[in-house]
Amino acid sequence: MKIVLDTNVLLAALIARRFSPQLLEHCALRHTLFTSDFILEETEEKLIEKLGYSAELAAEAANVLRSRMTVVSASKLESAICRDPDDDNILAAAISGKCDCIITGDKDLLVLKQHEGINIFNPRDFLMNEDIT
């Protein structure tokens, strides 16, 4: 399955100790992960601004993610779908990568449930459907 992980999922995987790192590891081992420069840059910015990472450490984290994912060149959507334009960038990455799903904790994306055939899951629901043990 081809998957885009939203910025909030990536951040949680980098800083949490339980559930989110398990999700990232599972997806990296069993699926093909896609991302975009927007997602990686946003992840890096939030690591610095909200979580107090140094610029060097945040860049290193983004580079590790980049090395484990296929980076797509995501074009802007023809028209806005989400209230937050940043969320449209997540949709654009999934469309560009011809992905099967997006995993996110963002309520504005989750309310869509699906967009252009791309399923949108929260992390817990995705893993429950994956039946990992």
Side-chain angles (χ1 to χ4, degrees), residues 7-129:
T7 304
N8 57 53
V9 172
L10 294 175
L11 289 170
L14 292 169
I15 64 170
R17 294 183 186 234
R18 294 201 230 115
F19 179 72
S20 295
Q22 177 187 8
L23 171 70
L24 178 59
E25 181 180 349
H26 169 79
C27 289
L29 291 173
R30 296 191 181 174
H31 301 289
T32 304
L33 294 175
F34 286 77
T35 193
S36 66
D37 286 330
F38 171 83
I39 294 170
L40 293 171
E41 289 166 9
E42 184 179 51
T43 299
E44 192 172 339
E45 287 170 16
K46 291 191 187 273
L47 285 170
I48 295 166
E49 294 169 9
K50 291 191 174 193
L51 300 170
Y53 277 49
S54 68
E56 295 78 21
L57 190 55
E60 184 178 327
N63 285 334
V64 168
L65 292 170
R66 180 181 299 278
S67 73
R68 306 253 184 326
M69 300 178 180
T70 300
V71 180
V72 295
S73 179
S75 302
K76 291 215 178 247
L77 300 178
E78 288 183 24
S79 60
I81 304 299
C82 297
R83 181 177 54 90
D84 180 353
D86 288 347
D87 293 338
D88 285 344
N89 289 308
I90 307 302
L91 292 172
I95 292 166
S96 293
K98 296 181 171 74
C99 292
D100 301 296
C101 74
I102 296 169
I103 303 174
T104 183
D106 188 302
K107 291 177 183 169
D108 288 336
L109 284 169
L110 288 168
V111 74
L112 297 174
K113 297 184 182 171
Q114 189 180 75
H115 180 73
E116 292 192 20
I118 301 167
N119 293 311
I120 303 170
F121 297 103
N122 71 42
R124 195 166 304 279
D125 288 345
F126 177 81
L127 283 179
M128 285 176 48
N129 287 328

